[in-house]
Amino acid sequence: KLRFYRKDNKLAMNSLPLSMHKKCATCLPSKCCLYFALQIDTPRSKRDFDDMRWYLAHGGTKIYQENRKWYLEVSNRCRFLSEDQTLCTIYPIRPQICREHSPDSCEASDGPLDYEYEFKTLAEFDLFIQKRFAKNKSKAKASSPKHP
């Protein structure tokens, strides 16, 4: 039986052993517990790109494209990561998404990440938008009929 109690305004559990996968021991602090990434819609309009600018206007965010899919990454430490950032304090009852995350295929063991695009700052993204829409304007001018 699990018993929950509050101690110093922090949620604690007194009957869960702390656990770690052996591959996770080579990835400290636990990288997968320091952020989350959500797939976002592929931007198609200027409004879509402006919404992405808004994401980057917030601290601890990153936007990237991987395998033609766009993601928003938010740096935010899991509240159930141990104080020393090495163990999951709710490992036996962790959320399903954590259970499905395999240490054998995690981002720490795959080597460098291969993104098509990666933006950590608003300035980087603005430069990308400027170049992208400049290309579209050039294509539109080239395809428009010329009048004498």
Side-chain angles (χ1 to χ4, degrees), residues 2 6 9 16 24 61 66 84 96-97 102 110 112 139:
L2 298 177
R6 290 206 171 270
N9 279 335
L16 293 178
C24 296
T61 58
E66 181 180 45
D84 65 358
Q96 187 62 36
I97 197 166
S102 170
D110 287 346
K139 286 179 186 177

Side-chain angles (χ1 to χ4, degrees), residues 21-28 31-32 35 101-113:
H21 188 281
K22 63 184 176 183
K23 278 201 167 187
C24 296
T26 64
C27 175
L28 300 175
K31 292 178 186 172
C32 61
Y35 76 93
H101 183 73
S102 170
D104 295 322
S105 63
C106 79
E107 61 275 10
S109 63
D110 287 346
L113 299 172

